[in-house]
Amino acid sequence: MRVPLSWLREYVDLPATETGRDVQAKLVSAGLEVETVEHLGADLKGPLVVGQVLTIEELEGFKKPIRFCTVDVGQANGTGEPQEIVCGARNFQVGDKVVVVLPGATLPGGFSISARKTYGRTSHGMICSGDELGMGDDGSHGIIVLPPETEVGKDAIELLELVDEVLDIAVTANRGDCLSIRGVAREAAIGYGLPLRDPALLDVPGPNAFGYPVQVSDPLGCDRFTARTVTGLSPEARSPLWLQRRLQKVGMRPISLAVDVTNYVMMELGQPLHAYDRTLVQGTIGVRRAEEGEQIVTLDGVERKLHAEDLVITDERGPIGLAGVMGGANTEIADHSEAQGTTDVVIEAAHFDAVAIARTARRHKLSSEASRRFERGVDPQAAAAAAQRTVDLLVLLAGGTAEAGVTEVVAPSAPHTISVPADHPDKVAGVTYGRETVVRRLQEVGCDVYGQDELIVTVPSWRPDLQEINDLAEEVIRLEGYENLPSTLPRPPAGRGLTHRQRLHRRAGRALAGAGYVEAPNYPFVSEQVFDQLGLEADDPARRVVRLTNPLNDEEPALRTSLLPGLLGALRRNDGRGSHDLALFETGLVFQPRSEQRVAAVLPVDRRPTDAEIAELDATLPEQPRHVAVVLAGAREQAGWWGKGRPADWADAVEAGRLVAREAGAELVVRGGQYGPWHPGRCAEFVVVVDGAETVVGHAGELHPRVVKAFGLPARTSAMELDLDVLEAVGDDTPQAPAISTFPVATQDVALVVDKFVPHADVETALREGAGELLEGIRLFDVYENEEQLGDGKKSLAYALRFRAGDRTLTVDEASAARDAAVALAGERTGAVLRG
C-alpha cells in the first residue's frame, strides 16, 4: 500500500516538521512494515510552468515527425516573449495548456535543461510528458495537456503536486484495514496521540423503496449490498489534476472520471466499489453463485468459464461481474474520449465473504485491488459511506444529479464481542500495563470496552482480525511498543541436555567432518521418478512414499525415503561449477508411510493436549528414522610433492560407514551385497545383529554406471547410506579406556587360499573366533589372484594376526597354537587352506 504523506495529512494534523522517515518510524513501532519512503521530486528544480501553445510548425526532412512550437509562459521566462521549443509529440494542438520546463531547471534523474540547437532550430526548454516528470503513466502516452482553465505561467510543481513523500507499506494478511488511507491515518493518529478526521463519517440517507432494485440470493457470500444512482453526468468531464495525481501516487493509472472516483474512494476508505453504466444494466441487479459452465467477459477482455462456487453479480441476461474481483465488459463505463460517453451510473458498494473472493481470484488467476482488500477484510459498515462519498464526488466533478433512491440489502448480524481479563496482556507480555492502559489502547483502535477486572470488548467493524483474547493482547503490546518489552532469557530446568539420539547425530557429523567430508543439507522433497534413476526394483519398499497434499513444487510432491537423491544433486551442481574433488555428507530424517493410514485429530487450543492425544497424533505421522549418507567423487587424496595422491573409490565409502558405526559403538559386519543404485560387483552390505537376528542397515560402494549417467555424475562416483537409529539401538557408546599392556606383542602372518566367492568378512570372523582371547588385532594386508599358482576360481587372503597376553610374555608355541586354531576354524567354515 502506497500512502502519500500529503494525503495522510488531510486526516491527521501531523506536525509540519515531521518527515516521511519520522512517520515511518512511528508506524514501524506500531507494527506496520514500512518498506521504503519514496521522495517524489527530490531532485526536481524549476522553473517548471504552465504554458499555452501559440503556434506549431511541422519540420520536414527528418525520420520522425518534429514540431517547432511557440509557447506563451507569461512572465516565467523573465521577458514575457513566447518560448521557442522543439517537440516530437503529437497529442497536443494550438491553444492547449501544457507543462513547460525552462532552461536552468533540472528534471528527475538529474537531467539538466538548457537551450540547445536540434533539428536545425534552437529549443529553449521542453514541453513535458508525465514520465519525464516522474508522474507515471496518465493514459495519454504523451505530453501532459492541462485543463483549459489552468492559468498560464503558474508554477507546475505546485499545480501537479510533484514534490511529496510516499510510504510503501507491506500490509500483512490480517490487516486489511491498512489497505486504505483511512486505516493508515488511524495508526498514525494513535502513534502521535492526535485525533483522526475519519473520512467515513458522512451523513448518509437511509434506504428507501425508490432505489435501484437489488436481489441477494446468497446472504452468506454477500451480507451487505448498497446501490446508488447518479444521472446526468457530463460525458466530457475529466478527472481533475488533484485526483489524477493522488491515484498516480498510490500506483494507479487514471482512466475516466467515474472509474477514477471509485478507485479514489477505494484507496481512501478501503471499500472496493464498482460503477455500472445504467443504460447497459438490464433489470434487477442480483448476487448469487454461478452456474457451472457459465461464462463472462471481464473488463480485461478475457472470457472466463465460471465455477459453481464463484460469486457473481447478475442482471436479467446473466453474470455482469465477478463479485469482489472484476466487473464485466458488458456494463463497462465508457471513456470520455468515446463518441457516446456514460451519463448515468449505478454505484455498487458491497461486502463479500473473504474466503469466497480469495478462492475466485486464485481459481481465475485474477488478482485485483478489490480482491486484495476483500481477502484481507473490508469494513462492512463503510459500504454506505463509500457509496455516498462516490456520489458526492461525481455530482461535484461531473455535474450529475444524485437520485433520491437508496438501496441497502443487509443480512442481520451482531457485533463481535470478546471477554478478556484486564490483566491478560500483562501475562502475555510479562509487563505490568494496568487496566487503564489496556482500556485506553483498545479504545484507540476503535473497541468499545466495559467492565473492571473482566473486560467486555466489542470489536470495531474494520478489524475482523480481532477474534480472541490474544489478538486484543497483541494490540495493547504493539501500541505500547515491542521495543519496550524486556529481554528475558528462558530458564530451562537443570540437568537436561541433548538426548542420546542428538549426541550420536552430532558425533557422527563431527567424525565425518574430521575425515574430510563437507556437510550438505538438502530439502526433503523428491519426485517419484528419482527412484527409476536410482535403479530400484518396482516392489522396493523405498518406493512407498508420503505424498504432500500441498507441495511447494509440483515436480517434487513426495517426501524422501533416502538421503542419496539430494546429496547426488548437490554433488552434480558442485561438479558442474568446477569443484571436482568432492566428499559430501548429510544426516537427516527420511519418511516411511505407516501400513495403517490414520486421519489426524484436531487438537484443542484452549488447553494443553493430553499425553494420549499427543500419542494419537504421533501415530498418524509417518515413520521418520534418521539416516546418514556420504557421496564421493574426484580425488580423495590430492597429488603434490608428497606423492601422487589417489582417487576416491568404493573403499572410502565403506570406511565412512565403519567410521559412523565406531561412533555409535556398534559392531558392523561388512560383506558383499547388491542393491539398487550400487554397482553389483563393488557394493558392500552393512549388517548388525538385532535381537539375535542379522539386520541390513545400509550399503556402500561405487554407484552403477546407469545411475551415474542418469544423474549426470562424475565417473566412478561412490556413496554410502546407513540407518543411524538402528546403529544407536544396537550400539554401546560408553567410553572405554584402552588397556595398555607392558608385555610385547607377538605377530603371526597367515595366507589362506579360498574360493573367489568367499567374502573376506566371513574368513576374518572365523579367524577371530578361532584365535580366542589372545588375539589383539587382525588386518587383511594382501589379496592375490593367479590361476597358474592358486588354481582356477581361487584367491589368496593374507592376514597379520597380533597376539598379546595381559599378564605375561607369550611364547612362540602359544602364539602358534592360537594361529593354528584360527586357521583350523577358518578352514572348517570357509574351506580355507594355508597357501604353499
Side-chain angles (χ1 to χ4, degrees):
M1 177 68 190
R2 291 171 56 85
V3 180
L5 192 59
S6 58
W7 199 349
L8 195 64
R9 289 181 182 276
E10 191 169 306
Y11 308 124
V12 184
D13 290 327
L14 300 175
T17 56
E18 289 294 284
T19 66
R21 293 292 183 189
D22 299 327
V23 178
Q24 177 189 29
K26 286 286 186 182
L27 295 179
V28 168
S29 178
L32 296 184
E33 184 180 350
V34 184
E35 294 185 326
T36 59
V37 178
E38 183 179 352
H39 298 271
L40 302 182
D43 50 358
L44 176 65
K45 185 180 71 172
L48 187 73
V49 298
V50 176
Q52 184 173 21
V53 180
L54 301 178
T55 64
I56 298 176
E57 177 187 352
E58 302 288 345
L59 301 183
E60 304 293 338
F62 301 102
K63 293 183 179 180
K64 61 180 181 179
I66 299 297
R67 311 166 98 185
F68 181 70
C69 310
T70 59
V71 184
D72 178 14
V73 296
Q75 297 299 318
N77 57 5
T79 64
E81 296 295 323
Q83 200 79 4
E84 297 179 339
I85 299 174
V86 176
C87 183
R90 313 289 297 176
N91 68 313
F92 65 95
Q93 57 190 359
V94 173
D96 281 347
K97 302 289 180 67
V98 293
V99 178
V100 178
V101 57
L102 301 178
T106 302
L107 293 182
F111 184 62
S112 298
I113 302 299
S114 61
R116 64 188 182 95
K117 189 170 184 179
T118 179
Y119 297 103
R121 303 293 179 95
T122 299
S123 182
H124 299 272
M126 283 176 55
I127 301 175
C128 297
S129 68
D131 287 337
E132 290 166 339
L133 297 178
M135 296 171 55
D137 182 19
D138 62 355
S140 67
H141 304 290
I143 294 303
I144 301 171
V145 178
L146 301 171
E149 64 272 13
T150 310
E151 178 185 350
V152 172
K154 183 176 179 64
D155 183 1
I157 295 178
E158 179 182 351
L159 175 69
L160 300 177
E161 301 179 13
L162 297 178
V163 178
D164 202 348
E165 292 181 277
V166 179
L167 286 70
D168 193 352
I169 303 175
V171 179
T172 54
N174 65 318
R175 291 303 305 273
D177 60 305
C178 289
L179 285 174
S180 66
I181 305 297
R182 177 196 185 199
V184 177
R186 182 180 291 107
E187 294 296 318
I190 295 172
Y192 282 95
L194 297 171
L196 169 70
R197 289 188 292 274
D198 191 343
L201 295 180
L202 301 175
D203 291 331
V204 179
N208 53 51
F210 309 107
Y212 197 93
V214 173
Q215 181 178 1
V216 177
S217 303
D218 190 343
L220 295 178
C222 175
D223 58 7
R224 185 177 295 266
F225 195 107
T226 299
R228 301 289 299 276
T229 305
V230 181
T231 59
L233 298 176
S234 171
E236 294 79 22
R238 298 179 58 185
S239 301
L241 286 175
W242 65 266
L243 192 150
Q244 293 186 46
R245 287 297 294 133
R246 286 193 169 177
L247 289 178
Q248 288 172 334
K249 289 177 184 179
V250 298
M252 304 191 75
R253 181 174 65 87
I255 298 174
S256 64
L257 177 60
V259 175
D260 292 348
V261 167
T262 58
N263 286 337
Y264 177 85
V265 175
M266 176 179 66
M267 289 297 175
E268 182 180 54
L269 301 182
Q271 168 66 52
L273 302 107
H274 191 72
Y276 300 94
D277 188 327
R278 183 177 180 179
T279 61
L280 300 178
V281 179
Q282 298 180 11
T284 301
I285 291 178
V287 183
R288 61 170 171 82
R289 300 286 175 170
E291 296 177 5
E292 189 70 37
E294 274 189 305
Q295 295 183 343
I296 183 176
V297 179
T298 46
L299 288 174
D300 57 359
V302 178
E303 183 175 337
R304 302 182 185 277
K305 187 176 181 179
L306 300 179
H307 188 275
E309 292 185 2
D310 291 334
L311 202 62
V312 292
I313 311 298
T314 64
D315 65 2
E316 291 180 351
R317 296 165 296 177
I320 60 174
L322 271 177
V325 180
M326 185 174 286
N330 53 357
T331 56
E332 182 179 5
I333 296 291
D335 188 87
H336 64 81
S337 62
E338 299 182 18
Q340 184 63 42
T342 298
T343 59
D344 301 341
V345 297
V346 178
I347 306 299
E348 165 213 313
H351 184 262
F352 301 109
D353 176 61
V355 174
I357 301 306
R359 288 178 176 172
T360 296
R362 284 156 179 73
R363 188 179 298 118
H364 295 282
K365 296 181 174 60
L366 185 61
S367 179
S368 64
E369 291 290 344
S371 67
R372 286 183 63 220
R373 284 160 176 79
F374 280 122
E375 289 173 13
R376 289 161 175 79
V378 169
D379 181 5
Q381 301 293 336
Q388 182 64 45
R389 177 75 163 137
T390 304
V391 169
D392 292 344
L393 287 173
L394 288 175
V395 170
L396 175 66
L397 301 176
T401 301
E403 289 193 352
V406 177
T407 302
E408 190 165 359
V409 180
V410 180
S413 62
H416 182 52
T417 60
I418 303 172
S419 178
V420 54
D423 61 349
H424 182 70
D426 302 2
K427 294 178 180 178
V428 172
V431 176
T432 302
Y433 292 123
R435 179 188 177 280
E436 290 73 16
T437 298
V438 171
V439 171
R440 174 171 56 84
R441 288 304 190 183
L442 292 178
Q443 289 175 339
E444 285 177 345
V445 300
C447 297
D448 290 331
V449 185
Y450 303 95
Q452 292 298 319
D453 294 338
E454 190 75 18
L455 303 179
I456 305 300
V457 180
T458 302
V459 174
S461 58
W462 58 83
R463 291 299 303 274
D465 59 305
L466 302 181
Q467 293 293 323
E468 48 105 10
I469 60 175
N470 286 323
D471 296 330
L472 301 179
E474 182 183 7
E475 291 300 296
V476 175
I477 296 168
R478 75 176 181 87
L479 294 179
E480 285 295 306
Y482 291 118
E483 67 277 9
N484 296 323
L485 293 177
S487 298
T488 306
L489 291 175
R491 297 180 179 178
R496 295 173 184 253
L498 298 176
T499 64
H500 185 270
R501 189 187 196 205
Q502 291 169 330
R503 289 197 298 271
L504 175 58
H505 173 210
R506 294 193 179 188
R507 284 204 315 275
R510 283 195 296 266
L512 289 172
Y517 291 86
V518 176
E519 187 170 14
N522 295 282
Y523 289 116
F525 313 116
V526 295
S527 67
E528 296 185 60
Q529 288 72 28
V530 77
F531 302 123
D532 295 327
Q533 295 177 294
L534 289 174
L536 300 184
E537 298 292 339
D539 58 348
D540 195 301
R543 283 183 175 270
R544 294 184 61 245
V545 296
V546 177
R547 291 178 180 84
L548 300 172
T549 302
N550 188 22
L552 297 179
N553 182 353
D554 291 337
E555 295 181 359
E556 295 180 334
L559 293 174
R560 65 189 179 190
T561 57
S562 168
L563 301 181
L564 289 184
L567 274 178
L568 294 178
L571 185 140
R572 181 183 63 247
R573 286 191 298 273
N574 282 275
D575 181 72
R577 287 162 174 75
S579 298
H580 304 303
D581 302 326
L582 296 163
L584 308 178
F585 84 92
E586 179 180 6
T587 56
L589 301 179
V590 298
F591 305 86
Q592 301 166 352
R594 296 179 186 268
S595 56
E596 180 185 355
Q597 297 295 327
R598 300 184 183 179
V599 178
V602 178
L603 296 182
V605 296
D606 58 341
R607 59 175 174 80
R608 182 190 183 280
T610 65
D611 293 341
E613 289 172 331
I614 295 175
E616 183 179 356
L617 181 64
D618 287 341
T620 65
L621 300 176
E623 298 285 352
Q624 301 177 54
R626 186 177 295 278
H627 282 201
V628 57
V630 305
V631 293
L632 304 100
R636 185 65 176 130
E637 295 178 2
Q638 296 290 335
W641 57 265
W642 53 84
K644 296 181 180 179
R646 69 173 183 85
D649 61 14
W650 62 269
D652 295 300
V654 173
E655 181 57 30
R658 286 196 176 103
L659 178 63
V660 173
R662 285 195 294 269
E663 290 297 325
E667 184 176 345
L668 194 67
V669 178
V670 182
R671 64 192 182 196
Q674 184 174 343
Y675 178 69
W678 282 277
H679 191 297
R682 302 186 182 99
C683 175
E685 183 178 77
F686 295 138
V687 176
V688 297
V689 177
V690 181
D691 297 329
E694 290 189 344
T695 301
V696 177
V697 294
H699 295 83
E702 183 180 313
L703 294 180
H704 197 288
R706 286 196 298 268
V707 175
V708 170
K709 181 179 180 181
F711 279 91
L713 304 173
R716 313 301 291 267
T717 297
S718 298
M720 179 278 295
E721 184 166 11
L722 268 173
D723 189 327
L724 202 55
D725 283 354
V726 176
L727 290 183
E728 177 195 2
V730 302
D732 180 9
D733 57 358
T734 304
Q736 299 290 335
I740 302 175
S741 176
T742 59
F743 298 98
V745 66
T747 302
Q748 297 274 353
D749 293 344
V750 294
L752 302 177
V753 178
V754 296
D755 293 330
K756 281 187 178 181
F757 63 82
V758 175
H760 141 69
D762 292 350
V763 178
E764 180 180 319
T765 300
L767 290 174
R768 285 184 181 277
E769 291 185 20
E773 296 181 354
L774 294 179
L775 182 67
E776 182 181 78
I778 182 172
R779 178 173 62 89
L780 175 68
F781 64 86
D782 184 53
V783 178
Y784 177 70
E785 295 181 7
N786 188 308
E787 292 184 2
E788 294 181 1
Q789 297 185 16
L790 303 177
D792 186 23
K794 299 292 184 179
K795 65 182 176 182
S796 172
L797 304 176
Y799 294 90
L801 307 178
R802 291 169 57 90
F803 298 99
R804 194 194 315 254
D807 57 350
R808 67 190 186 281
T809 299
L810 292 178
T811 65
V812 174
D813 292 341
E814 288 177 309
S816 296
R819 179 202 63 189
D820 294 342
V823 172
L825 187 58
E828 179 183 337
R829 290 188 178 178
T830 66
V833 296
L834 281 172
R835 179 181 169 190

